[in-house]
Amino acid sequence: MDFTLYDQTMTFLWSFVLGAAVTVTYIFMEVAREISPPCKLLVFAEDITFTFIVSALNFFFAVARTHGYIRWYVIAAQIIVFVLIYFTLGKLLKKCFGILFRAAASFRAKISLFFVKKSHSMYDMVKKLKK
């Protein structure tokens, strides 16, 4: 069964969308790696998760669009989009997500410190009342 030029063109254009989804997934996983504690097992788990997600996306895309065949133009389109997004918008998104996560972590630390101080002061008040 031959694919028409229209089918191949639409597959090529949809693979740009798939490449964008892969890039966003990669950026999200990269930010998650930066905010997680350094651990070889965790890095391995994140890599396996990313590989599984991308493999599943490509498998379902190949089954849906090319009847399971791997086409070179699909891979080329994904690489093009990955490079374009990652080295332009991706760096900006990575910085923004990093700032957001660091701000959230700082806010959480300040809130927990506030409650720890309050609990200690309440504990001291209870001790004074018992005496």
Side-chain angles (χ1 to χ4, degrees):
M1 176 179 190
D2 287 333
F3 295 109
T4 64
L5 183 60
Y6 174 78
D7 291 336
Q8 292 182 16
T9 304
M10 291 307 295
T11 301
F12 179 69
L13 294 175
W14 275 109
S15 57
F16 281 117
V17 175
L18 180 62
V22 167
T23 307
V24 169
T25 304
Y26 182 77
I27 291 169
F28 178 74
M29 295 296 284
E30 195 173 30
V31 169
R33 178 177 289 174
E34 285 185 8
I35 63 170
S36 64
C39 172
K40 289 182 181 180
L41 184 62
L42 191 58
V43 169
F44 178 74
E46 289 170 349
D47 287 344
I48 292 297
T49 304
F50 175 74
T51 302
F52 177 74
I53 290 170
V54 171
S55 299
L57 285 173
N58 278 306
F59 172 74
F60 290 124
F61 182 81
V63 168
R65 297 297 307 175
T66 62
H67 304 291
Y69 293 108
I70 297 173
R71 303 288 182 181
W72 66 269
Y73 53 84
V74 171
I75 295 170
Q78 289 181 25
I79 291 171
I80 290 169
V81 169
F82 185 87
V83 168
L84 289 176
I85 291 177
Y86 182 73
F87 289 112
T88 56
L89 184 62
K91 295 292 184 182
L92 178 67
L93 285 175
K94 187 177 163 187
K95 285 181 184 178
C96 290
F97 282 138
I99 290 169
L100 182 69
F101 282 120
R102 280 191 284 284
S106 173
F107 180 71
R108 187 185 73 190
K110 287 179 183 179
I111 293 294
S112 63
L113 183 65
F114 172 76
F115 284 117
V116 166
K117 284 182 179 179
K118 284 292 184 183
S119 66
H120 284 302
S121 65
M122 286 182 187
Y123 179 72
D124 292 340
M125 285 174 45
V126 169
K127 281 177 79 176
K128 286 180 183 177
L129 287 176
K130 284 185 176 180
K131 290 182 180 183

